[in-house]
Amino acid sequence: MDQKQALELVKPHLTEGRYIHTVGVMETAIFLAEQYGEVRKKAETAAIFHDYAKYRDKNEMRELVKEKLECSDILDYSDELLHAPCGAYFVEHEIGITDQGILTAIASHTTGQPNMSLLEKIIFLADYIEPNRKMPGVEEVRELSKTNLDLAILKMLENTITFLVSKRQTLYPLTLETYNHFVRHTEGSFDK
Ligand code: DGI
Ligand code: FE
Ligand code: FE
C-alpha cells in the first residue's frame, strides 16, 4: 500500500481537520524516523492510521475493550483513551495491517507506555508536535525533539499532565507510569 492509498483509506473515517492533523503527524513522523533511524515506511503507516478510530461509536469501542482487548481498566477513565487501543484492533482487522510494531505504536499513542520502542516514541511525539498543533509549550517540545527524543517526550508528558490536572481530569495510571519512566530515564540530562 502506498502513501496515497493509505491516506484514501483513512480519510472517510476522519473530519477534515483531523485529516489535516493526520497528514501533519505523517510528515513529522517521517522526519523523526529519518533523523533517529527508524524505517520510514513504518513511521508513515503508523502515523496515517494512528487516529483511525477517533470518531468511532464510544459504546462499540467499550464493548470491544470488554470483549477482546487487554486494557479493560481504561473503561474507568476518559473516553478519549478508547480510540488508541481500539484503533489498533480495527486497523488490523479492517485494513489488514499485521506489523505488530505498527499496531503497538497506534495502541500506545495517547498514553505512551514505559519502555516504548523507537517507533512508538516517534508516533507519540509526532502526534503532539505536528505543525498544526498550537497548545502552550509545544514549541519547546519541538525544539527538544531536534536533539533528544526522550527529553522531548518528558516535556510533552509534563505539559499534558499539567493540562489535565488544570481541567481536573482523572489521570490514567499508564500515563503516570510513562511519565515516571521518562523522569527516571532522563535523570541527569537536564541542565538544572
Ligand atoms: O487524538 P489526538 O487528539 O490527536 O491526541 P491524543 O490521542 O494524544 O489524545 C487525546 C486526548 O487524550 C488528549 O486530550 C489528552 C487525553 N489524555 C491523555 N492521557 C490522558 C488523557 N485524558 C485523561 N483524562 N487521562 C489521561 O491519562
Ligand atoms: Fe489520538
Ligand atoms: Fe492524533
Side-chain angles (χ1 to χ4, degrees):
M1 188 189 330
D2 67 21
Q3 184 184 109
K4 190 161 166 278
Q5 289 169 323
L7 286 168
E8 288 303 316
L9 283 172
V10 79
K11 202 172 188 174
H13 295 270
L14 305 176
T15 62
E16 198 187 338
R18 182 65 46 181
Y19 180 74
I20 292 167
H21 160 70
T22 294
V23 173
V25 177
M26 178 188 80
E27 286 168 351
T28 306
I30 290 171
F31 184 84
L32 291 172
E34 281 173 350
Q35 187 182 349
Y36 289 102
E38 181 51 88
V39 179
R40 178 193 160 105
K41 190 77 190 160
K42 285 185 194 261
E44 178 187 287
T45 305
I48 290 173
F49 291 104
H50 85 282
D51 274 340
Y52 181 77
K54 188 76 179 175
Y55 303 103
R56 292 294 268 249
D57 180 77
K58 297 284 190 285
N59 288 325
E60 179 193 3
M61 289 198 282
R62 292 176 153 274
E63 285 308 311
L64 176 65
V65 167
K66 264 184 231 164
E67 282 167 23
K68 300 231 161 75
L69 307 184
E70 280 158 22
C71 55
S72 51
D73 55 336
I74 66 171
L75 297 170
D76 295 329
Y77 295 89
S78 168
D79 281 347
E80 278 299 315
L81 304 173
L82 294 165
H83 77 284
C86 292
Y89 181 91
F90 293 136
V91 163
E92 180 176 3
H93 293 87
E94 296 174 9
I95 306 292
I97 289 170
T98 53
D99 183 313
Q100 288 305 316
I102 292 174
L103 296 174
T104 302
I106 296 171
S108 72
H109 88 264
T110 300
T111 61
Q113 58 178 337
N115 295 312
M116 284 190 279
S117 67
L118 177 59
L119 183 62
E120 286 180 275
K121 289 181 187 179
I122 285 172
I123 299 303
F124 192 41
L125 190 59
D127 189 24
Y128 188 85
I129 62 170
E130 63 92 2
N132 304 289
R133 293 291 210 192
K134 306 226 164 7
M135 52 286 233
V138 68
E139 201 47 54
E140 188 183 354
V141 180
R142 285 190 185 115
E143 280 304 311
L144 285 168
S145 75
K146 292 174 187 166
T147 54
N148 191 323
L149 215 48
D150 289 347
L151 283 182
I153 290 174
L154 176 59
K155 193 70 211 170
M156 156 189 161
L157 284 159
E158 281 177 25
N159 292 350
T160 301
I161 290 168
T162 305
F163 171 78
L164 291 168
V165 169
S166 79
K167 299 275 167 210
R168 211 172 265 177
Q169 296 246 340
T170 56
L171 295 171
Y172 182 49
L174 188 59
T175 304
L176 289 172
E177 281 170 35
T178 308
Y179 169 77
N180 290 338
H181 172 88
F182 280 89
V183 169
R184 292 183 185 122
H185 198 74
T186 57
E187 233 163 3
S189 19
F190 265 124
D191 296 335
K192 296 238 169 70

